[in-house]
Amino acid sequence: MTAARVPEDVQGQEPAENVRERRLHPVTPLRRAWAPIAILLGWAVHDMDQAQRQLSQLTTATLLIGLGVLVPAAALYGFLTWWFTHFAVTDTELRIRTGLLFRRTAHIRLDRLQAVDVTQPLLARFVGVAKLKLDVVGTNKKDELAFLGEREASALRAELLARAAGFAPESAQDVGEAPARPILHTPPRMLAVALLLTGAPWAMLLAAVVVPVLLWFATHNLWTVLAVAIPLTGGAFTNSAGRFIKEYDWTVGDSQDGLRIDHGLLDRVHETVPPGRVQTVRIVEPLLWRRRGWVRVELHVAGSSNTVLVPVAPRGHAEDVVARILPGVTVPKPADFAGAPRRGRWCVPVWWRGYGVAVTETVFAARGGLLQRHLSLVPHAKVQSVRLTQGPWERYWRVADLHLDTGANKTVPARLRDVHEASELLRAQADRSRTGRRDARPDRWMAGA
């Protein structure tokens, strides 16, 4: 079986094919040059007392000599790592060669490409460069090319997607990027209001204020307080302002190679949700969003880090996007769900009312939650296995849980089903999954283009 990404160490080995190798953008050494300085700063932070003692013993002349050695060494390191990094596109793969003393070559099969995303950190936007990230089936880590010129990154992305779609190598460069039609935009004001109506940021902020105060009165140790306060403050920022910065100007576009997602206030990210690879879609409805009719749409794609499809939108607009990412799927209405039996309240008090199941010709739908409702949609063709679990207390009350495992290593539970209903669902879902996989469309880029 051939791996999607095959790293290997070679000494002085040249490519077998006659392909043109290219280098990254000339500003890349500036990014790589920070590595030696980062190592030195990491040592200083790890042992601050020792670093402070060493620094106090140094004279001005010694400091200047040290900087005179460190800065050129860092610059030389950045230049050499850039000089010995090449990439090339062959008929079947993207090849990335790195290494000065020990050569390392990564072979990325084009037919295993799942997503090719373009990201631009804040400084990169000023310089006019971009980073190309590649999602490959069967790998958890993204390969990347950082940095390329903006036009080169866009052209290379279009070429890789065209070759992955099956276009001939000689015509792949002429295909160009498929045009995208905007179908949804999240206004910044709506995003800000939605974040303010979410409980997690406020809970983290309250913890960041209260816990350090309590620790100070308990220990009177500043370092203990800082060790707890800094992570809590960072978590509060990540769940509030951090999410706003990341999800700012969220735009979803429809194209032949999938749904295009553009977002970011400081760092601009251009992602693609590949067609046919979505394993699960999850619609989340927090308590304070219900009066406004807002929902959040999350997804799971095998081998991809994409987790958000829509940060916040009116439910009708969000369901339209779901219908595009899951062709032929209609989100079941509340009346279509079969609720949990009343005796389930002895297994999950209060919350038992939120559980329900609906099965259509295309998806298995399971809902749950009272304060924060969530609805999971699993296409029948994406179900890898079905399991029925039942603890002793559930056996006593004649209920069971059904678990659907998908290709994204995710499990969708259907909780508190009547034991006879769960057994029937188990048998029927196995048949639906086999039929769904047989009739499913091929997972190819630009299918139907």
Side-chain angles (χ1 to χ4, degrees), residues 118-139:
V118 178
T119 63
Q120 284 188 288
L122 180 60
L123 293 179
R125 293 168 62 185
F126 288 108
V127 181
V129 296
K131 181 188 301 184
L132 209 65
K133 292 187 175 182
L134 303 105
D135 268 333
V136 184
V137 176
T139 62

Side-chain angles (χ1 to χ4, degrees), residues 80-101:
L80 291 177
T81 55
W82 169 76
W83 183 261
F84 287 96
T85 298
H86 305 81
F87 69 94
V89 182
T90 71
D91 293 349
T92 58
E93 65 184 13
L94 170 64
R95 183 177 301 157
I96 305 175
R97 294 200 303 136
T98 58
L100 172 58
L101 299 178

Side-chain angles (χ1 to χ4, degrees), residues 10 19 23 48 64 71 86 95 99 108 127 136-137 139 186 190 205 233 248 264 275 311 313 341 366 416 436:
V10 294
V19 296
R23 286 195 176 93
M48 297 183 65
L64 292 177
V71 173
H86 305 81
R95 183 177 301 157
I108 303 172
V127 181
V136 184
V137 176
T139 62
T186 300
M190 175 185 287
L205 183 62
T233 304
Y248 178 85
L416 298 183

Side-chain angles (χ1 to χ4, degrees), residues 297-319:
V297 182
E298 303 171 351
L299 51 79
H300 296 119
V301 181
S304 176
S305 60
N306 292 336
T307 57
V308 179
L309 181 60
V310 178
V312 57
R315 190 179 187 93
H317 295 173
E319 291 183 358

Side-chain angles (χ1 to χ4, degrees), residues 200-260:
W202 294 107
M204 293 291 293
L205 183 62
L206 180 63
V209 173
V210 174
V211 174
V213 173
L214 295 178
L215 282 176
W216 172 255
F217 284 111
T219 64
H220 292 283
N221 188 312
L222 179 61
W223 292 111
T224 301
V225 173
L226 290 177
V228 174
I230 292 176
L232 288 176
T233 304
F237 176 84
T238 301
N239 282 279
S240 54
R243 278 183 56 183
F244 180 82
I245 292 172
K246 180 180 179 181
E247 298 174 354
Y248 178 85
D249 194 30
W250 193 282
T251 304
V252 181
D254 190 17
S255 72
Q256 292 177 337
D257 55 10
L259 290 187
R260 304 271 182 82

Side-chain angles (χ1 to χ4, degrees), residues 49-60 62-63:
D49 294 335
Q50 179 68 14
Q52 186 175 6
R53 286 194 298 268
Q54 294 288 346
L55 190 62
S56 62
Q57 296 175 2
L58 297 178
T59 63
T60 303
T62 306
L63 284 174

Side-chain angles (χ1 to χ4, degrees), residues 179-405:
R181 179 175 61 88
I183 58 175
L184 184 141
H185 177 257
T186 300
R189 183 177 180 275
M190 175 185 287
L191 178 61
V193 173
L195 293 175
L196 291 175
L197 295 178
T198 304
W202 294 107
M204 293 291 293
L205 183 62
L206 180 63
V209 173
V210 174
V211 174
V213 173
L214 295 178
L215 282 176
W216 172 255
F217 284 111
T219 64
H220 292 283
N221 188 312
L222 179 61
W223 292 111
T224 301
V225 173
L226 290 177
V228 174
I230 292 176
L232 288 176
T233 304
F237 176 84
T238 301
N239 282 279
S240 54
R243 278 183 56 183
F244 180 82
I245 292 172
K246 180 180 179 181
E247 298 174 354
Y248 178 85
D249 194 30
W250 193 282
T251 304
V252 181
D254 190 17
S255 72
Q256 292 177 337
D257 55 10
L259 290 187
R260 304 271 182 82
I261 301 177
D262 299 326
H263 61 93
L265 177 60
L266 302 180
D267 297 352
R268 290 297 295 177
V269 180
H270 310 276
E271 300 175 328
T272 302
V273 180
R277 299 278 174 81
V278 176
Q279 307 292 312
T280 308
V281 171
R282 192 167 183 260
I283 301 176
V284 182
E285 188 180 19
L287 176 64
L288 298 181
W289 290 14
R290 294 178 193 171
R291 291 188 60 184
R292 299 174 180 266
W294 293 350
V295 297
R296 175 184 178 89
V297 182
E298 303 171 351
L299 51 79
H300 296 119
V301 181
S304 176
S305 60
N306 292 336
T307 57
V308 179
L309 181 60
V310 178
V312 57
R315 190 179 187 93
H317 295 173
E319 291 183 358
D320 290 340
V321 177
V322 172
R324 293 181 181 273
I325 199 63
L326 297 177
V329 171
T330 302
V331 179
K333 303 301 180 184
D336 299 332
F337 285 85
R342 187 173 181 80
R343 59 183 179 275
R345 71 186 186 276
W346 299 108
C347 299
V348 183
V350 183
W351 260 255
W352 69 276
R353 296 177 180 273
Y355 294 114
V357 166
V359 181
T360 70
E361 294 181 357
T362 52
V363 293
F364 183 98
R367 71 180 184 188
L370 284 180
L371 298 182
Q372 178 170 281
R373 296 174 182 168
H374 54 84
L375 168 61
S376 297
L377 303 173
V378 187
H380 296 315
K382 302 303 180 181
V383 177
Q384 300 293 317
S385 63
V386 189
R387 295 177 288 117
L388 189 149
T389 61
Q390 190 181 37
W393 190 242
E394 291 178 319
R395 282 199 299 272
Y396 179 80
W397 291 105
R398 305 187 309 284
V399 295
D401 298 337
L402 200 66
H403 300 270
L404 280 69
D405 301 318

